Amino acid sequence: MSDTAVGLEDRSDLRRTGAGSEGSTLRDPAQSAMREPTAASTVVVRRRGRDLAPQRRRQLGGVSGGVYNLLGGATTGLCVAMLLFGRIAPFSGLIGFVIVAYVVFLAAYAVLVSLGDTSEVVRDRVISIVLYTLATLTFAALVFVIAYTLWGGRRALVHLNFFTQDLLKGQAPLAPLTVGGIKHAIVGTLWMITLSLIITVPLALMAAVYLNEVGGRFARFVRTIVEAMTALPSVVAGLFIFATWILVLGREKSALAASLALSVMMLPIIIRAADVVLRLVPGNLREASAALGAPEWRTVWHVVLPTARSGLATAVILGTARGIGETSPVLLTAGYTAALNTDPVHGPMVSLPLAVFNLVRTGVPSLQVRGFAAAAFLLLLVLALFIVARVIGGRGPGNLSKRQERRIRRASARDANRIIARYDREQAAVAARATREGAQ
Amino acid sequence: MDVRPDEPEAIEGGATPGRPRPAVRGLGDRVFRLVVRAGGMAVLVITGAVGIFLTARALDALRVAGLKFITTQAWQPDAHRFGIAAVLTGSVFIALVAISVATPLALGTALFISEIAPARVKRTLISMVDLMAAVPSVVYGLWGLSFFQSHSIGVARWLATWFSWIPIFKVTGADPTNPLASRSVYTASTFIAGIVVALMIMPIQCSVMREVFSQAPAGEREGAFALGATRWGMIRSVVLPFGRGGIIGGTMLALGRGLGETIAVYLIISPLFRINIHILQTGSISVSSLIALRYSDSSALGISALFAAGLALFILTLIINFTASTIVAHSRSGAQSDV
């Protein structure tokens, strides 16, 4: 509504100024209403007197223009907060101090900006500061959580035995940190994640290919069910395996049971991610392949999957990172042990997050340090997986790295040489036949 | 895709040229379709089995409890007195606290990344948010238990002292006038658990929002600037209206995730099977921590009861997730994005 109003107003304004100036397109409003063809020429809008002065370029966003305002605001905020907390009001506490200082800072900054600018600009500056603050808070929280975990586990992490021994001897509350480690949990995590990847990856890839390449009403039904299952809380996935595999079928708690529970949880996540990646493969690649006469399976195997390779790898790696860090399904299905167990089918086995959970729950300081160290190791593992995913992935389908491009170029040159060689051979044969026939 | 070039009779004797020809598949394709369809079926069977088993076992308990399952607060399955009134509301309270803390942070961070951050740090910041989503929940739980819990008491006490006239901030048994009063009434509360969960769900929310904000059309942004808008004016009139679907959808998705959080909540709260609307006060419970707490020492009926609670949570999450994806898909920005 308001847009049209502004538009009309502008036009009438234009007409008014145009009527006064020579060479304007709109000489007479009545004429223009009759839509006569007019000669194309420039409309010069005459400005009112005070607008004629050259205008300073206004800064539309950011805070860089007012470093002094920022400094002034910050000083005011700090001083007022110190005065309030130290002299005037009975306030105490660091968090309160920071909040009071921040609020006063914002107000003082707004006042300072408003001295030279319109209210629109004041609002922009204040909001910019708030956005900076919120983003800083978020990233500070992340860095702090990671650093806190590493710091908490530093005393155990420096001993090599932490990675090469199990916890049997380290369980005692007074055992020194030079005895005992988390080898059993590392082995457990490796077993569990390997088994669940063996189960999930082929199934997830087949399902994702089915959803995208075959399609149909049934595929849409499968997709809906898979989307629904991403809502399944992970602890319920664990409870499902606990009730079926352990209670009904009577199997013991083991790494296999835990990896089944992890698979139930990871399967929908990986299928969904792979489905999204496969959907991004351009349709004309498939059509080109089909036009060359390739059957469907060759199209999928040689065109669709290689195109989406990096995205699929990212989907699997991020799913793995989710699975490695998940505690609750493992808690219900793997049992707990402090001893090293390398048999995934028999006997309880513990994973890294579960070990962290159990160590921290004890409340014993020495065991809590070990818990922190195990959490730090887990965190580093996830971080490594994450970096691998970033290096492999992060590219859309069809965007190749330098190396891949070189390889494809080499293969293509090889093909060209092969074709040329064959053509030369055939030409030579034709020429030979011609000379033979000519001789006859 | 369905048209094969090697169909001579279809090409030569095509009486009706416009009619689509039936696809003739080679053996390889038939095998391929069979295998792939088997994969799809297997996934359907597995996920379907979970759903059906969950419902079937839950029905055993529901038959015992009847309609009282919704209104009972206690959890004593062997005495046939159990219900989700306390546990489900506990889950919802924790998730709501988490959402109300996480939403401003996520919105601010998403706007910062998409609108303010210089292009060269943008990718790093996006990676950091994704990393935050991948940090194991037990690490957040550890942080909440050993650091945040003891450092948040001051905030909790301040809120309880000055805002106790709002029912949710009231703490019974606390005496703000007594400087030596026990501080333990403020620990292990919904508030602390909610804030730890907020850290976990914030990155999901943030990445959905950022994705949607970055799709706001450049033409409209430039149009706003050309009309003299400041950066915030542009954000308010172009980016936020464009991304409204993403904001709501991302928040609901995060809410669904927060409802199912187990380990961090388990580590922090002390179980209390009563509806506790005083979020600052000790004692709370959630469905998932209830399952982790009671699975091992439960009878057959107890397990069924846990399944019933899990089913209730699952249905709630399902409704929230589907609503979220519908909102995102029907919003202006949702046409291309996959949430």
Side-chain angles (χ1 to χ4, degrees), chain B residues 6 29-30 41 47 58 66-67 78 90 130 132-133 153 158 163 201 210 231 234 257 266 273 284 291 298 312 334 336:
Chain B
D6 50 349
D29 268 2
R30 261 177 285 164
M41 280 298 285
T47 47
L67 271 181
D78 295 327
D130 289 348
M132 202 169 173
I153 288 177
W158 184 78
F163 292 96
I201 62 173
R210 183 195 51 76
R231 184 165 59 198
M234 187 278 288
R257 191 70 187 280
Y266 182 110
F273 290 95
S284 178
I291 293 174
S298 287
Q336 308 95 8

Side-chain angles (χ1 to χ4, degrees), chain B residues 34-296:
Chain B
L34 211 65
V35 169
V36 169
R37 189 163 284 148
M41 280 298 285
V43 168
L44 186 68
V45 167
I46 292 172
T47 47
V50 179
I52 290 168
F53 189 84
L54 181 59
T55 319
R57 290 301 302 274
L59 282 179
D60 294 345
L62 287 180
R63 229 169 272 132
V64 172
L67 271 181
K68 280 201 181 130
F69 184 68
I70 301 175
T71 53
T72 310
Q73 297 188 14
W75 193 265
Q76 293 153 351
D78 295 327
H80 291 206
R81 272 186 68 235
F82 59 95
I84 50 167
V87 281
L88 201 60
T89 45
S91 280
V92 171
F93 278 147
I94 292 174
L96 285 181
V97 171
I99 279 293
S100 48
V101 174
T103 303
L105 279 177
L107 192 60
T109 310
L111 279 177
F112 180 82
I113 294 177
S114 79
E115 307 300 324
I116 298 183
R120 59 205 141 74
V121 295
K122 210 175 254 189
R123 225 179 107 86
T124 317
L125 294 183
I126 293 171
S127 295
M128 279 177 80
V129 172
D130 289 348
L131 173 66
M132 202 169 173
V135 169
S137 58
V138 71
V139 172
Y140 287 117
L142 192 59
W143 176 81
L145 182 70
S146 56
F147 175 82
F148 186 72
Q149 173 135 276
S150 52
H151 286 75
S152 67
I153 288 177
V155 179
R157 192 172 51 189
W158 184 78
L159 279 175
T161 309
W162 297 100
F163 292 96
S164 58
W165 47 275
I166 305 175
I168 58 168
F169 290 134
K170 194 167 156 30
V171 175
T172 42
D175 182 11
T177 54
N178 177 5
L180 298 176
S182 165
R183 291 154 66 105
S184 64
V185 286
Y186 301 111
T187 56
S189 64
T190 307
F191 172 70
I192 296 169
I195 287 182
V196 174
V197 172
L199 277 186
M200 270 174 239
I201 62 173
M202 199 279 295
I204 305 162
Q205 218 177 344
C206 180
S207 57
V208 173
M209 290 181 189
R210 183 195 51 76
E211 181 74 37
V212 172
F213 291 159
S214 64
Q215 286 170 357
E220 288 176 32
R221 287 163 187 265
E222 283 159 17
F225 281 135
L227 288 171
T230 56
R231 184 165 59 198
W232 168 243
M234 187 278 288
I235 291 173
R236 208 187 44 197
S237 57
V238 176
V239 177
L240 289 181
F242 181 84
R244 191 185 298 136
I247 297 173
I248 298 172
T251 304
M252 294 188 76
L253 225 67
L255 185 68
R257 191 70 187 280
L259 282 173
E261 179 45 47
T262 313
I263 288 303
V265 175
Y266 182 110
L267 278 175
I268 288 170
I269 57 165
S270 55
L272 171 75
F273 290 95
R274 186 153 47 77
I275 296 179
N276 182 6
I277 65 158
H278 310 308
I279 59 168
L280 299 173
Q281 191 161 18
T282 303
S284 178
I285 189 69
S286 76
V287 174
S288 31
S289 61
L290 167 79
I291 293 174
L293 200 66
R294 290 288 174 84
Y295 79 98
S296 58

Side-chain angles (χ1 to χ4, degrees), chain A residues 160-171:
Chain A
L160 191 65
N161 63 291
F162 188 68
F163 304 102
T164 56
Q165 296 177 4
D166 62 21
L167 202 59
L168 272 186
K169 284 182 198 141
Q171 256 177 333

Side-chain angles (χ1 to χ4, degrees), chain A residues 59-63 91 95 120-121 123-124 127-128 131-135 137-139 141-146 148-149 199 203-204 206-207 209-211 213-215 218 221-222 224-237 239-240 242-244 247-248 253 264 267-268 271-272 276 279-280 286-287 290-300 318 321-322 324-328 331-333 353 356-357 360-361 368 371-372 375-376 378-379 382-383 386 390 393-394, chain B residues 1-5 25-30 32-33 35-44 46-51 53-54 57 104-109 111-113 115-116 118 123-140 142-143 145-148 151-152 155 162 199 202 206 225 228-233 235-236 253 256-257 259-263 266-267 287-289 291-293 295-296 303 306-307 310-311 313-314 317-318 321-322 325 338-339:
Chain A
Q59 199 199 353
L60 295 177
V63 290
F91 294 164
I95 296 177
E120 194 67 18
V121 177
R123 225 171 294 149
D124 174 66
I127 299 265
S128 290
L131 290 185
Y132 267 100
T133 317
L134 288 174
L137 261 179
T138 301
F139 294 119
L142 170 68
V143 170
F144 181 67
V145 168
I146 292 178
Y148 183 78
T149 313
I199 298 168
L203 269 179
M206 277 201 290
V209 168
Y210 174 64
L211 294 182
E213 305 300 319
V214 178
F218 186 67
F221 175 65
V222 173
T224 313
I225 294 293
V226 167
E227 272 181 28
M229 291 314 281
T230 51
L232 187 78
S234 58
V235 69
V236 177
L239 189 63
F240 170 70
F242 177 73
T244 51
L247 290 186
V248 176
K253 289 189 174 182
V264 171
L267 198 56
I271 291 177
R272 248 182 122 190
V276 171
R279 218 182 297 166
L280 290 176
R286 292 191 189 98
E287 283 158 20
L292 287 171
E296 207 174 3
W297 66 272
R298 272 190 184 278
T299 307
V300 170
L318 293 183
R322 247 329 257 297
I324 272 191
E326 199 62 58
T327 321
S328 40
L331 171 72
L332 269 64
T333 50
V356 174
F357 177 68
V360 168
R361 218 162 34 144
Q368 275 188 330
F372 267 101
L378 177 64
L379 205 53
V382 170
L383 201 64
F386 205 75
R390 281 290 130 182
Chain B
M1 285 280 281
D2 285 352
V3 182
R4 297 268 91 89
R25 295 184 199 293
L27 181 66
D29 268 2
R30 261 177 285 164
F32 164 75
R33 288 214 158 196
V35 169
V36 169
R37 189 163 284 148
M41 280 298 285
V43 168
L44 186 68
I46 292 172
T47 47
V50 179
F53 189 84
L54 181 59
R57 290 301 302 274
L105 279 177
L107 192 60
T109 310
L111 279 177
F112 180 82
I113 294 177
E115 307 300 324
I116 298 183
R123 225 179 107 86
T124 317
L125 294 183
I126 293 171
S127 295
M128 279 177 80
V129 172
D130 289 348
L131 173 66
M132 202 169 173
V135 169
S137 58
V138 71
V139 172
Y140 287 117
L142 192 59
W143 176 81
L145 182 70
S146 56
F147 175 82
F148 186 72
H151 286 75
S152 67
V155 179
W162 297 100
L199 277 186
M202 199 279 295
C206 180
F225 281 135
T230 56
R231 184 165 59 198
W232 168 243
I235 291 173
R236 208 187 44 197
L253 225 67
R257 191 70 187 280
L259 282 173
E261 179 45 47
T262 313
I263 288 303
Y266 182 110
L267 278 175
V287 174
S288 31
S289 61
I291 293 174
L293 200 66
Y295 79 98
S296 58
I303 296 275
L306 290 182
F307 267 111
L311 181 69
L313 178 64
F314 177 51
T317 319
L318 202 61
N321 278 12
F322 270 120
S325 50
D338 288 291
V339 174

